[in-house]
Amino acid sequence: MMPLEPDDREVRYAEYVLGVLDARERAAVERESAERPAAAAAIAAWSQRLAPLAAEIAPVEPPERVWDAIRRRLRLDERTGVAPRTGLWENLRFWHWLGLGSAGLAATAAVVLLTLLLQRPTPPPIPYMAATIVQPDHRIGWTATMDIAQSRMIVIPGVPQRSSPGHAPELWLVPKAGRPIPVGMISDSAAVTIALSPSLVARLGPTATLAVSIEPVGGSPTGRPTGPVIGTGAIGAATAAASRPA
Amino acid sequence: MSPMPAEDRETLERLLGETGAGDAKAFRTLYRLTSARLFGVCLRMLRDRSEAEEVLQETYATVWRRAASFDPTLAAPQTWLVTLARNKAIDRLRQRREATLDDASVLEGVVDERPGPSAEAEAQDGYRRLHDCLDALDPKHANSVREAFFSGATYMELAAGLQVPLGTMKSWIRRALIQLRSCLETG
């Protein structure tokens, strides 16, 4: 077999875009694309190179029933003009609204997760994970929702314990074994979105826990929690509800 | 009629943007302008009308849901749409073929077809350059790349369909891809 010159990976991405890989190989490339921005960029570049070939295929007008099916499936008739459907994730006001009520917040978050999942055309393998960070007084400090495909987490305050001046809450990932890993600074008054590194994403799972400690503004100087831990929450996969929409 | 001419790039970008904001009317217009192109692609790959209709439906459901993530600085709208449709079709093919493994007939009647580019295709800059670069390749290699793109077949299926050893097929296509890239970069 011919050696893969000049670059195995590059060829793999091209093969993926061309469509010659089997299902298992495709899944591997898709995982890589989700984890490595460089892979995603290379795949996009190959799509840009090869997609114009579609111009050689004669267009065929699809039957009207296809549009009817799309319309019904997406319930387009119930919509009037512009609605805040997409960008729900980006809609911080929406999240903030969620964060304002603490009673039943977890339940509400579950409903939101389900809504998000149902908006997805094809649920990715592990679309979302969530954790409810409970404080010693049993009140919900924050809810954290992790979007695995996008490698990000949004942390919404419930009724968190306020930090003293000069201090701020810091979020940690606590693996089953091993020391806590800093995730990022969060806020006791606003929703915060945190980009997650691939190594952090890889550690998210039902055996890991999220914890919040009070640290100096700017974060723990040592890279480990130095202040009191004011809340913890187990990470749950939100995939259990990922039944496919019609 | 040209369903997706190059000069409409701006129109498609605008429609995708409005679709991303939840504008059902813009989505409808986008569908009208682009669905014939994508349906052609689905039909060609799946060779089954009802499956092509299903995949087209899935494709546009995804367009509706993901339009907000479309980034015109990363991809042309045509590329984005074609890629989405092809990926859905390929996934469907892989599912189907898992059930009918060893069925070499999937390529029957496909391999000798050489569709000529349509007039509007000729007019597209991206296509023109790709076409010239494909022309510069060994015809066997160029043909393999075209068949792979149009059929969505795996190496194994292509090798069976074009009746060459698997290793030969891989080497043809890999060589062609590398040459294409350098040709497109210098062109």
Side-chain angles (χ1 to χ4, degrees):
Chain A
M1 199 174 300
M2 173 189 170
L4 294 187
E5 303 262 329
D7 177 348
D8 291 11
R9 270 195 167 150
E10 180 75 11
V11 169
R12 203 62 169 169
Y13 304 145
E15 291 173 327
Y16 169 79
V17 172
L18 187 60
V20 292
L21 302 181
D22 66 31
R24 197 177 44 80
E25 294 164 328
R26 284 183 66 78
V29 173
E30 281 161 9
R31 269 197 307 277
E32 205 188 329
S33 167
E35 286 162 11
R36 289 184 59 236
I43 289 166
W46 274 107
S47 300
Q48 199 67 41
R49 289 182 193 114
L50 297 176
L53 256 186
E56 291 189 2
I57 301 173
V60 180
E61 208 61 53
E64 193 56 32
R65 62 175 170 268
V66 177
W67 173 254
D68 288 341
I70 293 168
R71 203 165 39 87
R72 277 196 310 273
R73 178 169 169 174
L74 301 177
R75 300 200 181 89
L76 295 181
D77 295 342
E78 298 166 22
R79 320 180 56 79
T80 48
V82 180
R85 170 190 50 86
T86 46
L88 184 60
W89 181 274
E90 277 76 15
N91 190 338
L92 283 185
R93 214 154 45 136
F94 170 82
W95 287 103
H96 194 68
W97 164 79
L98 252 187
L100 288 180
S102 69
L105 181 59
T108 318
V111 170
V112 170
L113 276 175
L114 185 60
T115 311
L116 284 169
L117 286 169
L118 292 177
Q119 289 181 339
R120 289 275 168 149
T122 316
I126 318 165
Y128 292 96
M129 291 194 230
T132 303
I133 298 165
V134 181
Q135 299 167 116
D137 61 2
H138 303 297
R139 299 218 287 183
I140 293 165
W142 290 267
T143 54
T145 306
M146 290 140 265
D147 181 345
I148 304 310
Q150 302 287 325
S151 298
R152 60 187 177 178
M153 178 188 304
I154 188 161
V155 186
I156 312 147
V159 278
Q161 179 185 321
R162 300 278 159 173
S163 306
S164 53
H167 290 79
E170 183 166 9
L171 185 66
W172 304 85
L173 177 69
V174 188
K176 192 180 179 194
R179 51 171 72 166
I181 304 159
V183 177
M185 301 306 292
I186 57 176
S187 163
D188 51 26
S189 59
V192 171
T193 302
I194 300 169
L196 303 174
S197 68
S199 70
L200 211 55
V201 170
R203 285 189 172 86
L204 297 176
T207 61
T209 303
L210 291 180
V212 175
S213 70
I214 297 295
E215 302 294 338
V217 168
S220 159
T222 64
R224 307 177 66 168
T226 59
V229 172
I230 60 164
T232 58
I235 296 175
T239 41
S243 57
R244 287 197 59 167
Chain B
M1 202 186 73
S2 55
M4 207 192 284
E7 61 270 26
D8 261 9
R9 176 173 178 154
E10 274 176 35
T11 306
L12 296 183
E13 282 180 2
R14 181 177 54 75
L15 289 170
L16 265 175
E18 289 167 359
T19 300
D23 185 339
K25 246 181 92 187
F27 179 55
R28 161 92 183 174
T29 309
L30 182 73
Y31 179 85
R32 284 280 163 255
L33 287 175
T34 57
S35 57
R37 170 71 68 216
L38 299 196
F39 191 50
V41 169
C42 293
L43 263 181
R44 179 67 203 259
M45 295 178 84
L46 294 159
R47 306 243 133 204
D48 178 291
R49 234 186 138 82
S50 74
E51 272 197 303
E53 287 179 21
E54 277 175 42
V55 168
L56 189 69
Q57 189 191 322
E58 280 170 27
T59 300
Y60 279 94
T62 305
V63 168
W64 172 248
R65 284 156 174 151
R66 291 214 197 129
S69 73
F70 168 74
D71 181 347
T73 64
L74 293 180
Q78 293 94 332
T79 297
W80 194 75
L81 292 166
V82 164
T83 302
L84 210 55
R86 286 191 74 245
N87 280 339
K88 296 254 179 237
I90 292 169
D91 286 347
R92 179 65 68 103
L93 286 169
R94 296 295 178 271
Q95 282 170 14
R96 186 206 282 175
R97 279 164 202 184
E98 226 139 76
T100 58
L101 213 64
D102 302 325
D103 181 7
S105 68
V106 285
L107 280 176
E108 227 169 73
V110 179
V111 291
D112 288 325
E113 233 170 274
R114 291 294 300 269
S118 53
E120 68 267 22
E122 292 279 5
Q124 290 184 24
D125 182 51
Y127 173 71
R128 189 74 258 163
R129 290 181 55 200
L130 180 61
H131 181 265
D132 290 348
C133 287
L134 278 165
D135 265 4
L137 299 179
D138 180 317
K140 289 196 304 286
H141 301 183
N143 189 37
S144 307
V145 167
R146 280 199 162 90
E147 284 314 322
F149 185 90
F150 296 147
S151 67
T154 61
Y155 274 134
M156 193 90 83
E157 294 160 345
L158 285 168
L162 293 166
Q163 297 184 326
V164 296
L166 178 61
T168 306
M169 180 50 63
K170 286 186 177 177
S171 122
W172 284 358
I173 284 185
R174 285 172 181 163
R175 200 167 298 169
L177 288 167
I178 290 164
Q179 286 174 354
L180 270 183
R181 184 183 56 176
S182 71
C183 173
L184 288 168
E185 272 164 10
T186 54

